[in-house]
Amino acid sequence: MKGLLETREVQSPALESNPLGDPARRKLTVYLPPGYAESDRRYPAVYFLHAFGNSGGTWTNASGFAPSVPERLDALIESGAVPPVVGVFPDAWTSLGGSQWINSDAIGRYRDYLAKDIVGFVDRTFRTLPKAASRAVLGHSSGGYGALVMGRYHPELFSLLGAHSADAYFEYCYLPDLPKAASSLLKSGGIESWQGEFRQRVRETKMRGDDFPVVNTLAMAAAYSPKKGEPLNLELPFDAQTGRLKLDVWNRWLVHDPVRFVPKFLDAFRKLKGIFIDCGTRDEFNLRWGTRMLADDLKNAGVDLVHEEFEDGHSGVSYRFERSLSVLLPRLSQE
């Protein structure tokens, strides 16, 4: 037997009147395990957080060669490796490319959207077990970062956490993009002119290779250093003319770095029943090292942790969810 995918729409109070004018009504894909319709039992739930540049619908994309994450979940349940669970695939896409699953004055309240609106909707609408012991949260890249954010702020909601190739140690993962972004913005005449040209071009053709450093930098600045009154309500961490790093702004970014915040919130992470983190040894964003730093801090604090590395890069690694799900889901409370 296979599970079923249902699509619902959720009106999010947290996203209403968000600064970017992005939709407050979002599609939500939910995986219902085999036998759900034929029973009246309640199930634990696992929440999947997508990466930057993706949306909630990305999880169900068929590649032709590799199974989707819901198909991997099907196979794990069928084999008995994990118990039947409800899978939840929320959408946190924004017109800047993503939200980092946090509350930001320049983007919107996406942490509240997940923690309050989505979790509340799922528990009201589906037969879930509405308690932390029966919920897990997992993600890749910015979604892995979002899972760490949930661990920091919401151990009362989630007891298990999986972070694949999560954004961490910002000096290595973000800093290399800043001079590239500065060059493109200087050439185009600033944020607003670059953004206008970019949006028109991607509608008519596609993204160029040199677009990503700018897209990523603007989105992260909106998440980590919002500032009302500036273009896109964000403050860049470098001087537009010289490229000199603005240490006051860059330090605002660093406050959001898991390598910085995890050691400060170890009491929250100790409340979790288990954490799984991993990263590829050839990760193009140098996330291997931030992951190792997090593993060191969590292990030294006595947190129940599984840390792994694998021979691969950053993208196309959804097969790693089979490993994290196999480690975490059997630990979810079934009653």
Side-chain angles (χ1 to χ4, degrees):
M1 294 179 64
K2 304 293 184 184
L4 297 175
L5 290 175
E6 288 196 4
T7 301
R8 301 294 181 93
E9 288 194 351
V10 180
Q11 181 67 30
S12 168
L15 298 186
E16 291 173 359
S17 302
N18 67 81
L20 294 173
D22 290 326
R25 191 169 187 82
R26 300 289 177 112
K27 289 184 177 180
L28 178 68
T29 301
V30 178
Y31 168 91
L32 301 177
Y36 180 91
E38 291 77 34
S39 74
D40 58 1
R41 64 173 285 194
R42 290 186 172 273
Y43 296 85
V46 54
Y47 288 72
F48 294 88
L49 309 187
H50 62 75
F52 178 74
N54 291 344
S55 67
T58 308
W59 296 102
T60 58
N61 290 347
S63 72
F65 291 100
S68 67
V69 168
E71 289 170 336
R72 294 182 190 278
L73 187 53
D74 251 343
L76 289 169
I77 293 173
E78 185 175 13
S79 71
V82 306
V85 295
V86 171
V88 185
F89 301 88
D91 176 34
W93 165 261
T94 75
S95 52
L96 292 180
S99 67
Q100 295 301 94
W101 304 91
I102 67 174
N103 293 341
S104 162
D105 290 340
I107 299 176
R109 295 188 292 122
Y110 282 84
R111 175 167 64 86
D112 290 347
Y113 157 72
L114 174 62
K116 297 179 180 179
D117 302 340
I118 296 298
V119 170
F121 177 85
V122 169
D123 286 342
R124 290 192 305 271
T125 307
F126 301 96
R127 294 196 314 276
T128 56
L129 292 161
K131 57 184 180 179
S134 299
R135 294 194 198 98
V137 58
L138 297 90
H140 171 255
S141 193
S142 288
Y145 176 89
L148 293 169
V149 169
M150 291 300 121
R152 168 184 176 176
Y153 287 105
H154 296 293
E156 83 285 1
L157 292 179
F158 303 100
S159 64
L160 295 162
L161 184 161
H164 296 277
S165 308
D167 297 10
Y169 203 60
F170 288 2
E171 288 92 337
Y172 287 176
C173 67
Y174 294 151
L175 203 55
D177 274 348
L178 298 189
K180 300 174 186 177
S183 180
S184 294
L185 292 171
L186 183 65
K187 182 179 179 180
S188 65
I191 291 175
E192 291 172 312
S193 58
W194 185 90
Q195 186 81 347
E197 186 274 333
F198 168 75
R199 287 180 173 174
Q200 180 178 350
R201 176 161 46 78
V202 294
R203 282 197 302 267
E204 297 174 353
T205 56
K206 62 180 182 179
M207 283 184 65
R208 296 192 308 241
D210 60 350
D211 286 331
F212 182 79
V214 189
V215 171
N216 193 51
T217 297
L218 294 179
M220 299 310 145
Y224 306 140
S225 54
K227 185 176 181 179
K228 292 183 179 180
E230 295 292 323
L232 297 181
N233 291 313
L234 61 87
E235 188 171 14
L236 292 170
F238 54 81
D239 182 82
Q241 297 301 312
T242 66
R244 188 191 302 273
L245 200 62
K246 293 182 177 180
L247 292 180
D248 59 331
V249 182
W250 178 243
N251 286 335
R252 291 171 63 195
W253 284 42
L254 295 184
V255 169
H256 295 276
D257 187 346
V259 169
R260 270 77 178 193
F261 74 64
V262 166
K264 294 181 179 179
F265 291 88
L266 287 172
D267 286 346
F269 288 95
R270 288 193 191 97
K271 293 177 182 177
L272 303 178
K273 290 168 59 178
I275 298 176
F276 179 98
I277 60 175
D278 74 358
C279 191
T281 57
R282 303 193 303 273
D283 188 278
E284 296 86 346
F285 298 100
N286 306 309
L287 296 171
R288 175 190 193 184
W289 305 108
T291 303
R292 283 188 164 215
M293 295 174 202
L294 290 175
D296 190 54
D297 288 334
L298 290 167
K299 286 180 179 177
N300 288 339
V303 174
D304 191 331
L305 174 75
V306 174
H307 168 228
E308 296 182 353
E309 291 186 347
F310 55 97
E311 291 296 320
D312 209 338
H314 188 74
S315 301
V317 294
S318 64
Y319 60 88
R320 289 296 301 174
F321 279 97
E322 293 186 11
R323 175 62 180 151
S324 59
L325 292 170
S326 297
V327 169
L328 296 175
L329 297 198
R331 304 184 66 178
L332 286 171
S333 174
Q334 305 291 310
E335 55 185 20

